[in-house]
Amino acid sequence: MSDIIQLLPDSVANQIAAGEVIQRPASVVKELVENALDAGAHHIDVIVMDAGRTSIQVIDDGKGMSPTDARLSFERHATSKIRKADDLFDLHTMGFRGEALASIAAVAQVELRTRRQEDEVGTLLTLSGSRFSGQEPVSCPVGSNFKVENLFFNVPARRRFLKTNVTELNNIITVFERMVLVNPQVAFTLHSNGVQLMDLPVSGLRQRILAVYGKRINQDLLPVEVETSVCRISGFVGKPESARKKGAHQFFFVNGRFMKHPYFGKAVMAPFERLVPQGEQVPYFIYFDVAPADIDVNIHPTKTEIKFDNEQAIWQILSAAVKEAVGKFNEVPQINFDTEGRPDIPVFSSGGMEGTGSLPKVQYNPQYNPFKTKPSTGWGQEEWESLYPPTQGSSDTQEQELFPPEEADGGMEATPASEIVTDRSPVHYQYKGRYIMTAVKSGLMIIDQHRAHIRVLYEEYMKKVRNHSWMTQKVLFPEVVEFSSAESETLSRMMPQLTAMGFSISDLGGGSFSVNGIPAGVEGLNAAALLRNLVASVMEMAPTVKEQMESALALDLARNAAIPTGQLLSNEEMESLVNNLFLCDNVSLTPDGKPVLCILKQSEIEHLLG
């Protein structure tokens, strides 16, 4: 029997490696920009077409490469970053595996123009599917110019599984933001389909954050700074009032590299435990400087998961630093008992002070009742009874039936829960400000008031969208809201649906939008916070169809406008909510599938108390 084990060809091995390293167009942008940073670039331009499907171009003014290095850079495990295994524990560069360019060339068509400062002419290389198509001298500036076209042209299955252009562009912007936030000493630009999305000059760290996320975030940032023998921590953390349920900008960087670390995230949020509502998050931009020997970045090809030798110690240092930052800037109300050196202000005494005389007294007639005497003027001579005669059938003892026979019959077919909602008690009981409890024929019905109101408002909003009957309530003072590039792209895509729902929004440019009007009926909500929540929800779900986006917006708007958990309701308010709930198409579940009510049957109650 012949041998069956053989070495894979380089082209096949590169495609296998590309499956881990190059997952989408954003992965190409990440690898090429990291190479440009390692090459000492001071200015980096990123240009994408069709969210990277058609073309990705990264231009830098770094050191460049010689003709031999340019050819060798596309070979697997060819790198200038390390020489021996010990170098893995003393990394000062973004890349080190030597797999990025080989993986990109295996699944795309690549063109490279590069020149060093000491060379008179540069080098032009063209590759397609790991095969070199040509190499020739060319005139080009110092640095490197990578152009990646037709990504995944030879892996059709991977290309088909790419998301929409909007989603892929948002992923590119997210990766781009992670790199520009940690390299303020480098100028960056980002273009998409000929439109400039970002232009970031060289600046300080705080200015770079403001350039990416808008100037309004400046008033919410508190500096964090601590240096110990274990590590150095710097950056910014948000004030308690900047907390959001969705869309909070939270970043960790270690030695100039972005990382995900939920354990450290809890350390940042621990000092805010009683300062922000449960479920909300504050923004933070935290930068760690740690000895390279104390961390391991060689865990995953994306290099976003990093292991620390002394995680617990760093956790305590980080939590203490954040707590100090919040307390140092008096973001927590404190009672100060130190009154030394302050002026002594006398306390007012009800008996009066010497020489000031007695206090003036107010004279009034306690027996006066304006409703017992007729006015002396010609107005209002008629009796109230003649102006407002009692309406027929308005007796307090008259009870209105919740479900007429024809409505109850139809409801039983639509929702099984309505089969037993008959002969209910007209009196409701609210439990812990969250649940409405009422007796029905088959037992005890328990309704979640917040979810019930979400279902009622959602169906009301969707009906208005379908009938184009949503009115706009103009605001007295338009509010300007600033968004990042990714959020601005999403908001622009949402604009037709938001207009149909009653929003009036103007694009001021530069990521700023003016909210001039909001849907009628939600006037009590914060317009800026509502718009941010809507954008964050759409970015999380990434709906592609118009109907899906309308449903997502109606659901999130209903969540924001619904009765909050903990609000006390009168019996009339609970009665109205129950009536409106059972007029909905689906009374059992919220639009996102959460149960609205449950019924504790009479037999179960008897069994529990038997």
Side-chain angles (χ1 to χ4, degrees):
M1 185 176 178
S2 60
D3 299 330
I4 60 175
I5 296 179
Q6 58 183 354
L7 290 174
L8 289 174
D10 288 342
S11 59
V12 178
N14 289 340
Q15 280 199 17
I16 295 173
E20 296 181 351
V21 180
I22 307 302
Q23 301 171 353
R24 52 178 15 113
S27 304
V28 178
V29 174
K30 171 183 177 294
E31 299 294 345
L32 294 181
V33 173
E34 286 182 351
N35 283 344
L37 292 172
D38 288 340
H42 299 286
H43 190 98
I44 301 175
D45 298 318
V46 179
I47 306 169
V48 297
M49 298 293 295
D50 298 328
R53 296 171 187 265
T54 303
S55 163
I56 300 173
Q57 190 172 9
V58 177
I59 307 170
D60 68 74
D61 59 355
K63 295 184 294 186
M65 290 180 282
S66 66
T68 303
D69 287 344
R71 181 72 177 260
L72 192 59
S73 65
F74 289 95
E75 298 295 333
R76 257 190 104 200
H77 305 308
T79 178
S80 62
K81 316 297 174 59
I82 62 175
R83 289 288 183 270
K84 54 187 184 298
D86 292 343
D87 293 341
L88 289 173
F89 304 102
D90 191 25
L91 288 173
H92 297 278
T93 56
M94 300 297 292
F96 54 87
R97 286 197 180 96
E99 292 180 329
L101 293 182
S103 299
I104 294 172
V107 294
Q109 298 169 344
V110 182
E111 178 183 286
L112 168 62
R113 298 171 184 265
T114 182
R115 181 170 76 87
R116 297 182 300 178
Q117 181 69 41
E118 59 269 25
D119 295 334
E120 295 183 359
V121 294
T123 303
L124 170 63
L125 269 75
T126 54
L127 301 90
S128 178
S130 294
R131 299 179 181 272
F132 281 93
S133 303
Q135 179 175 349
E136 59 186 39
V138 67
S139 175
C140 63
V142 175
S144 299
N145 183 344
F146 285 90
K147 189 173 185 180
V148 180
E149 297 179 315
N150 300 324
L151 187 63
F152 300 129
F153 79 100
N154 55 351
V155 192
R158 178 65 65 88
R159 189 176 180 89
R160 282 196 301 269
F161 279 101
L162 290 178
K163 305 296 183 182
T164 62
N165 283 359
V166 175
T167 302
E168 295 299 341
L169 180 60
N170 286 341
N171 290 327
I172 291 175
I173 294 175
T174 299
V175 168
F176 187 80
E177 289 174 349
R178 292 172 179 176
M179 289 183 290
V180 302
L181 288 174
V182 77
N183 293 283
Q185 76 283 359
V186 180
F188 290 89
T189 63
L190 174 62
H191 293 78
S192 173
N193 296 337
V195 178
Q196 180 175 284
L197 300 182
M198 289 192 193
D199 183 8
L200 307 173
V202 177
S203 63
L205 179 58
R206 193 182 190 111
Q207 287 70 27
R208 176 58 59 87
I209 295 174
L210 302 185
V212 175
Y213 295 113
K215 295 181 179 179
R216 289 210 168 189
I217 199 175
N218 184 40
Q219 60 189 4
D220 296 329
L221 296 181
L222 302 175
V224 177
E225 188 78 31
V226 63
E227 187 167 0
T228 67
S229 59
V230 177
C231 66
R232 179 179 180 270
I233 300 175
S234 60
F236 302 93
V237 66
K239 296 179 181 179
E241 56 264 29
S242 66
R244 299 185 192 174
K245 288 185 178 180
K246 299 178 182 178
H249 306 299
Q250 299 178 332
F251 296 92
F252 283 124
F253 302 94
V254 56
N255 294 353
R257 187 190 307 273
F258 170 79
M259 72 168 179
K260 298 178 181 178
H261 212 297
Y263 182 58
F264 287 165
K266 295 179 180 179
V268 176
M269 293 305 302
F272 294 93
E273 184 176 355
R274 298 189 179 183
L275 300 179
V276 300
Q278 187 175 4
E280 295 192 2
Q281 301 287 322
V282 297
Y284 54 78
F285 306 86
I286 304 297
Y287 299 79
F288 297 87
D289 288 326
V290 186
D294 294 338
I295 60 175
D296 184 5
V297 300
N298 192 23
I299 297 175
H300 192 272
T302 59
K303 308 184 192 74
T304 58
E305 299 177 12
I306 299 177
K307 294 294 184 182
F308 291 76
D309 284 348
N310 39 19
E311 274 189 350
Q312 189 171 2
I314 295 178
W315 193 99
Q316 295 173 349
I317 295 172
L318 175 60
S319 182
V322 173
K323 186 178 297 184
E324 180 186 6
V326 176
K328 181 178 179 181
F329 291 89
N330 293 325
E331 292 304 320
V332 181
Q334 297 180 354
I335 300 177
N336 191 353
F337 295 98
D338 184 11
T339 58
E340 184 179 355
R342 295 187 179 181
D344 186 14
I345 301 176
V347 180
F348 174 75
S349 174
S350 58
M353 292 181 289
E354 272 190 75
T356 59
S358 61
L359 294 176
K361 295 183 179 180
V362 178
Q363 301 293 335
Y364 66 95
N365 181 10
Q367 305 298 327
Y368 175 73
N369 189 339
F371 295 100
K372 290 183 178 180
T373 59
K374 293 182 178 294
S376 59
T377 63
W379 297 96
Q381 297 295 330
E382 299 84 355
E383 296 292 339
W384 287 104
E385 290 78 5
S386 62
L387 289 176
Y388 302 101
T391 58
Q392 296 296 328
S394 63
S395 174
D396 293 339
T397 60
Q398 183 179 7
E399 296 185 3
Q400 296 183 355
E401 193 174 41
L402 176 58
F403 301 107
E406 49 274 350
E407 289 185 6
D409 293 341
M412 281 193 285
E413 295 179 2
T415 53
S418 64
E419 294 180 2
I420 46 180
V421 186
T422 55
D423 298 335
R424 65 168 182 83
S425 170
V427 179
H428 308 281
Y429 172 72
Q430 188 180 26
Y431 177 66
K432 290 191 174 181
R434 178 173 182 178
Y435 302 106
I436 298 174
M437 307 176 70
T438 185
V440 293
K441 182 177 181 180
S442 58
L444 182 66
M445 182 172 63
I446 306 172
I447 302 174
D448 188 309
Q449 68 182 36
H450 178 69
R451 294 179 181 178
H453 203 206
I454 288 177
R455 166 53 70 177
V456 172
L457 293 178
Y458 171 79
E459 296 200 4
E460 177 186 340
Y461 294 164
M462 289 301 297
K463 185 182 296 183
K464 288 183 178 180
V465 171
R466 286 191 293 265
N467 298 335
H468 303 284
S469 59
W470 212 314
M471 304 298 293
T472 300
Q473 176 65 47
K474 294 292 184 179
V475 297
L476 185 59
F477 300 103
E479 188 164 359
V480 178
V481 189
E482 294 185 354
F483 293 98
S484 64
S485 298
E487 293 169 337
S488 299
E489 288 291 321
T490 303
L491 181 56
S492 300
R493 183 167 57 97
M494 297 164 49
M495 202 66 78
Q497 285 72 33
L498 290 174
T499 302
M501 295 182 71
F503 283 92
S504 176
I505 303 173
S506 303
D507 188 353
L508 305 179
S512 298
F513 294 82
S514 173
V515 183
N516 306 315
I518 58 177
V522 297
E523 292 84 357
L525 300 179
N526 186 317
L530 176 61
L531 189 59
R532 289 193 186 98
N533 289 338
L534 292 175
V535 172
S537 297
V538 171
M539 291 183 69
E540 287 180 2
M541 294 180 289
T544 57
V545 186
K546 174 186 175 183
E547 290 75 15
Q548 292 179 350
M549 185 175 294
E550 290 175 349
S551 177
L553 290 174
L555 174 58
D556 202 68
L557 190 60
R559 286 172 178 162
N560 284 273
I563 299 171
T565 298
Q567 179 173 328
L568 299 180
L569 303 177
S570 65
N571 190 72
E572 290 76 12
E573 291 171 331
M574 289 187 281
E575 175 80 3
S576 176
L577 179 58
V578 172
N579 289 346
N580 291 330
L581 173 64
F582 281 91
L583 291 176
C584 296
D585 295 334
N586 186 345
V587 303
S588 303
L589 300 173
T590 61
D592 53 349
K594 296 180 180 178
V596 174
L597 57 84
C598 68
I599 294 181
L600 188 61
K601 295 184 178 180
Q602 182 69 23
S603 58
E604 296 176 358
I605 298 176
E606 294 174 354
H607 175 72
L608 292 173
L609 299 177

